[in-house]
Amino acid sequence: MTASTTRPAAGPAYRTADEDRPSAAQRVRGRLLGGFGLLGPRHGRHTVSAQDLDRLALPIGDDGVVAGVDAEGQPAVLGLNRPTPYDVVLIGGLWTAQVLALRAAATGARVAVETGRPESWIQMVHAMGGGQNGLAVYEVGRVPPQGASAGTPVLVVRDCGMRPPRGRVVSGPWQSVLTLLPYLSPVAPRLLRQARLAGIQQVSPDEAGELGRIMGLSRAEVESLPTLVDGMTLWCADRDRQYVLTQPTDAEIGLLGTPRRMD
């Protein structure tokens, strides 16, 4: 008598509920294929109500060179490092231009000084390591291409007297040009029209009146210009006006002396 073996009849496969549930690895793989990425820690959503939106504010225009403090004692900053050409005219003293140059170099910009009086700048070059640390002095018309970029912005300071010649190196992306005029000169109107920013220090009443006509200054601003103290500058951009007092640090006083309008 031969023993027979009973086999289950063929039919549909039956699985338990646990067998039908995809594994954790399969779920993660499915999310990756769907473009959702990995699952991170679970946190509550960060939401802001419509009433609180007005309270959100981001500081704009506060990156750059600290030119001094405004009438409220807050830092006043010149954004000299820009991706677009930026021309600045300063009708004022050498001291202020040198402080701005020092502070621009401290922010990481390279400063190229085009000047007819290199002896007035050479002390700064020596103090900063002989021209190897961000500041170099050139004769008028001898400034080479600076190769400005977002990583190495450049400030060209033109200290070329009352009638500066047209510069070989002009403003461009990441390269700003600051032209220093000791007084209002015949070329000043042209330079002021081209400039994006203008700074005016103490000038004579006649010069103040002329600047008022050129720049559309108010009567109060015109009358204030002859009375500005040393280190005070009226900065003008479009219709914006701001009085700024440049306060030197101890290191700047040791190198350049105290604020002064005349050189």
Side-chain angles (χ1 to χ4, degrees):
M1 183 175 178
T2 304
S4 63
T5 303
T6 303
R7 296 182 181 181
Y14 293 93
R15 298 182 181 180
T16 65
D18 289 339
E19 290 175 332
D20 286 336
R21 185 179 303 159
S23 66
Q26 289 173 327
R27 291 197 302 271
V28 170
R29 182 173 182 273
R31 290 183 66 86
L32 289 175
L33 293 176
F36 289 100
L38 294 174
L39 289 174
R42 298 292 184 176
H43 296 293
R45 293 182 178 273
H46 299 285
T47 59
V48 179
S49 65
Q51 291 79 7
D52 292 334
L53 284 176
D54 291 339
R55 300 180 184 178
L56 298 180
L58 295 177
I60 298 176
D62 63 349
D63 56 336
V65 177
V66 178
V69 295
D70 61 18
E72 298 178 352
Q74 298 299 313
V77 179
L78 302 183
L80 297 177
N81 301 334
R82 296 170 178 261
T84 55
Y86 198 68
D87 287 283
V88 183
V89 173
L90 173 61
I91 301 176
L94 176 65
W95 183 89
T96 301
Q98 291 182 325
V99 169
L100 294 177
L102 274 177
R103 296 180 181 182
T107 66
R110 287 189 291 108
V111 180
V113 180
E114 180 182 10
T115 180
R117 45 179 173 178
E119 67 282 355
S120 298
W121 291 86
I122 200 66
Q123 60 179 343
M124 289 178 56
V125 176
H126 292 160
M128 297 181 65
Q132 300 301 313
N133 293 316
L135 191 146
V137 176
Y138 303 94
E139 296 179 2
V140 177
R142 298 294 182 88
V143 181
Q146 296 297 302
S149 66
T152 56
V154 173
L155 172 64
V156 178
V157 179
R158 305 200 70 216
D159 174 29
C160 305
M162 294 286 289
R163 296 174 180 266
R166 294 185 181 272
R168 292 177 54 191
V169 178
V170 298
S171 62
W174 303 110
Q175 179 166 292
S176 299
V177 175
L178 186 154
T179 301
L180 174 64
L181 297 177
Y183 299 102
L184 189 65
S185 71
V187 301
R190 173 179 61 83
L191 294 175
L192 290 171
R193 285 193 296 269
Q194 296 174 349
R196 298 279 303 279
L197 178 69
I200 308 170
Q201 296 189 314
Q202 187 186 77
V203 293
S204 69
D206 289 341
E207 290 175 305
E210 183 64 22
L211 286 167
R213 289 187 288 273
I214 296 172
M215 303 179 64
L217 302 179
S218 68
R219 180 175 179 180
E221 291 164 344
V222 170
E223 292 177 350
S224 72
L225 293 179
T227 66
L228 296 181
V229 300
D230 290 345
M232 180 73 76
T233 307
L234 174 61
W235 290 102
C236 309
D238 296 326
R239 293 296 178 181
D240 295 329
R241 309 281 186 263
Q242 190 171 47
Y243 292 93
V244 175
L245 179 63
T246 302
Q247 298 175 321
T249 63
D250 291 340
E252 290 167 344
I253 291 176
L255 181 60
L256 304 174
T258 57
R260 60 190 181 277
R261 169 65 174 90
M262 303 295 293
D263 300 299

